[in-house]
Amino acid sequence: MADAKAVLEFAKKHDVKILDLRFTDLPGLWHHVSYPIDQLTEDSFREGFGMDGSSIRGWATIDESDMLLIPDPDFHFLDPFTEATTLVMVCDVVDPVTKQRYDRDPRHIAKKSELYLTSTGIADTAYFGAEAEFFIFDNVRFDQREQYGFYFIDAEEGRWNSGRKENNLGYRPRYKEGYFPVPPTDHYQDLRSEMVLIMQACGIEVECHHHEVATGGQTEIDLKFDSLVRSADQMLLYKYITKNVANQYGKTVTFMPKPIFGDNGSGMHTHQSLWKDGKPLFAGDGYAGISQLALWYIGGLIKHGPALSAIIAPTTNSYKRLVPGFEAPVNLAYSRRNRSAACRIPMYSPSPKAKRVEFRPPDPSCNPYLAFAAMMMAGLDGIENKMDPGQPMDKDIYELDPEELASVPSMPGSLEDALDALQRDYAFLVKGEVFTEELLRTYIEYKRSKEVDAVRLRPHPFEFALYYDI
């Protein structure tokens, strides 16, 4: 646990020139503001730095726009991409009038969820480990106007690479066959390794990296699990590093769930477990070696899965990935080993410490602070109400006959349906005032007006192929 003096000593030791303060908007994008390092004093950790909250998506209106950024001494690092030596600090947001934490700050919501967990007496720590997938493209172009709309992707690993004349494009993954090939079919070994080394230099523990199933440079870098807030902090740093390393190589990274038609999308399978007094609570002698408490946690994820989808799969593009019959787990069931179930119990190790639940519907377009907090709140609600998840589904759900499949609950089919589900089922989120009704109302209204309606109002390029000559 660092304090203000330790941070100032760190800055002096490394001859830091610039202070960079970072915070997160409601959709989950990092923002920043920079100061000469001499503006950082011990008082800064109490008094903060002023900023305009009205210009941040989903935040304050202009009549209540003044906000304070309070640096968190526990999360700081040297920016690996700036020319001037820059100290990055992640901040908490405070209302300067009330001196209270700002309710629309996603990091505050995640911190409240950890406090709520402790208050229940069920556990004192929630561990999260997210496996965020992403694509590495050579070039992307897109635009949308009144009279046209298009996107164009170019990737050296793509089957559709623009007919370029280079002679090094023979080794490319086939559609849905990109899992674990060695170079030269895997074009990005060195690029991913550089990403990993920079992550480690910034304090992130990395477990492994590899090519993923899709073509077009789909990649996964797995981070070691950590506490809920710290894992969310690290996920935003993970995105920052992957995007900037790719940019230095003349590439571009996207965490869109489904940028390529006909190939696998990018998920963010999220491993989670509860611990108390240093002991794992998900280990037991029940199904797949898990405890009754873990089954109830799964019951909460399944019960609230439709409402959760608005937060863990929060874009219209998310539902291009979450389509029945394809690779994404849309069916709300649980199983050991079975990757077609929304809740999977990994069986790699018999150790009680390794017992966890992997929730597979989330994707990396989500705000990790909100997503991790919401999943934990759903699981806790399952424990508190002893929700039975039903019988495990130890078979390939994709191969079920229609009658059997009809009995398995599923995720919503669109962001609009997901928002409707959240509007109906949100009581589990407002327990302990972790999420507030005002925050959820703001979130739903933002998603409906800025994303659902915005997409619905615009002609789709494929509609011209379908209907132009009708």
Side-chain angles (χ1 to χ4, degrees):
M1 300 287 288
D3 58 16
K5 288 184 178 179
V7 173
L8 292 172
E9 289 171 2
F10 178 87
K12 184 177 180 180
K13 175 183 176 182
H14 293 280
D15 194 23
V16 169
K17 304 298 184 185
I18 298 293
L19 168 69
D20 197 58
L21 302 179
R22 301 204 179 163
F23 58 96
T24 310
D25 66 9
L26 201 58
L29 191 68
W30 247 358
H31 295 259
H32 77 138
V33 57
S34 299
Y35 296 86
I37 192 61
D38 59 14
Q39 295 295 305
L40 182 67
T41 66
E42 286 192 45
D43 290 340
S44 303
F45 293 83
R46 182 177 60 258
E47 298 173 358
F49 297 81
M51 54 91 62
D52 175 10
S54 67
S55 299
I56 305 303
R57 294 183 298 175
W59 275 26
T61 56
I62 197 166
D63 58 307
E64 52 181 23
S65 59
D66 288 351
M67 294 289 159
L68 291 175
L69 298 177
I70 308 293
D72 182 349
D74 286 337
F75 190 24
H76 64 275
F77 57 91
L78 296 178
D79 193 310
F81 304 107
T82 54
E83 290 189 18
T85 307
T86 300
L87 174 67
V88 177
M89 299 197 72
V90 172
C91 296
D92 296 316
V93 185
V94 168
D95 186 312
V97 177
T98 66
K99 302 301 182 183
Q100 299 297 309
R101 291 289 308 277
Y102 184 45
D103 276 337
R104 296 191 195 180
D105 174 14
R107 196 167 190 256
H108 178 43
I109 293 167
K111 285 190 169 183
K112 284 193 293 182
S113 74
E114 288 188 321
L115 291 173
Y116 177 75
L117 172 65
T118 303
S119 74
T120 65
I122 294 170
D124 54 37
T125 307
Y127 284 119
F128 278 74
E131 302 173 347
E133 299 165 348
F134 57 93
F135 283 89
I136 303 169
F137 296 144
D138 286 285
N139 181 42
V140 63
R141 291 183 284 121
F142 52 87
D143 200 1
Q144 181 74 50
R145 291 291 185 268
E146 293 81 356
Q147 83 285 15
Y148 68 83
F150 76 93
Y151 69 89
F152 181 86
I153 296 169
D154 194 13
E156 65 182 61
E157 279 193 2
R159 237 173 51 178
W160 20 261
N161 67 81
S162 308
R164 292 183 298 174
K165 295 181 180 179
E166 293 96 324
N167 61 3
N168 61 345
L169 300 178
Y171 295 99
R172 290 171 290 165
R174 301 173 183 86
Y175 273 11
K176 301 180 183 293
E177 294 184 24
Y179 199 59
F180 282 20
V182 297
T185 303
D186 178 0
H187 291 220
Y188 295 123
Q189 171 71 18
D190 289 339
L191 181 60
R192 291 196 309 270
S193 291
E194 182 165 339
M195 292 173 177
V196 166
L197 293 173
I198 292 177
M199 288 178 190
Q200 290 177 314
C202 291
I204 296 178
E205 287 193 66
V206 179
E207 292 189 336
C208 69
H209 71 81
H210 59 83
H211 201 289
E212 255 300 338
V213 173
T215 187
Q218 192 185 36
T219 282
E220 181 177 309
I221 300 174
D222 291 341
L223 308 185
K224 184 177 175 60
F225 67 87
D226 210 327
S227 62
L228 188 152
V229 172
R230 182 62 69 228
S231 286
D233 287 339
Q234 291 179 348
M235 185 50 59
L236 290 176
L237 178 53
Y238 173 104
K239 287 186 173 184
Y240 178 71
I241 290 171
T242 55
K243 291 176 181 178
N244 276 279
V245 172
N247 188 61
Q248 290 180 335
Y249 276 72
K251 312 284 185 181
T252 179
V253 156
T254 183
F255 288 89
M256 276 181 67
K258 190 77 171 184
I260 300 176
F261 168 67
D263 211 340
N264 282 29
S266 291
M268 191 182 77
H269 306 151
T270 305
H271 298 254
Q272 42 206 289
S273 63
L274 299 181
W275 292 55
K276 187 174 185 179
D277 298 328
K279 297 179 180 179
L281 301 182
F282 279 12
D285 56 6
Y287 171 79
I290 62 172
S291 63
Q292 180 62 63
L293 184 138
L295 283 171
W296 288 333
Y297 189 99
I298 291 170
L301 290 174
I302 290 174
K303 162 79 175 188
H304 298 300
L308 284 176
S309 62
I311 297 173
I312 65 172
T315 67
T316 58
N317 187 251
S318 299
Y319 298 87
K320 305 295 194 296
R321 167 182 172 260
L322 291 173
V323 176
F326 289 86
E327 78 280 0
V330 299
N331 297 297
L332 292 165
Y334 73 100
S335 176
R336 59 186 174 190
R337 304 178 67 183
N338 188 350
R339 283 174 166 78
S340 66
C343 293
R344 187 178 76 92
I345 303 160
M347 301 297 291
Y348 296 124
S349 170
S351 170
K353 294 181 178 181
K355 287 303 175 185
R356 61 196 188 274
V357 174
E358 177 192 8
F359 196 47
R360 296 175 64 80
D363 69 56
S365 69
C366 70
N367 183 326
Y369 296 113
L370 302 183
F372 296 170
M375 284 185 279
M376 188 190 71
M377 294 299 288
L380 288 178
D381 192 54
I383 293 169
E384 291 166 338
N385 291 287
K386 298 182 177 179
M387 292 179 181
D388 182 4
Q391 293 301 306
M393 189 66 69
D394 288 329
K395 60 178 76 173
D396 187 346
I397 298 175
Y398 304 137
E399 299 299 325
L400 295 181
D401 61 59
E403 185 176 336
E404 193 174 6
L405 185 60
S407 66
V408 181
S410 64
M411 297 286 283
S414 68
L415 179 57
E416 184 173 19
D417 290 345
L419 294 169
D420 289 343
L422 179 58
Q423 209 155 14
R424 292 190 302 268
D425 176 24
Y426 64 86
F428 70 99
L429 294 171
V430 299
K431 287 182 176 181
E433 298 185 343
V434 172
F435 289 77
T436 64
E437 290 193 25
E438 191 273 340
L439 180 280
L440 291 171
R441 183 165 55 250
T442 298
Y443 180 87
I444 291 170
E445 289 173 357
Y446 177 90
K447 287 289 178 178
R448 288 197 193 280
S449 64
K450 301 295 186 181
E451 299 180 27
V452 172
D453 289 346
V455 170
R456 180 164 51 193
L457 287 169
R458 286 168 170 80
H460 189 286
F462 193 58
E463 290 177 323
F464 284 81
L466 289 173
Y467 306 128
Y468 188 80
D469 63 346
I470 200 76

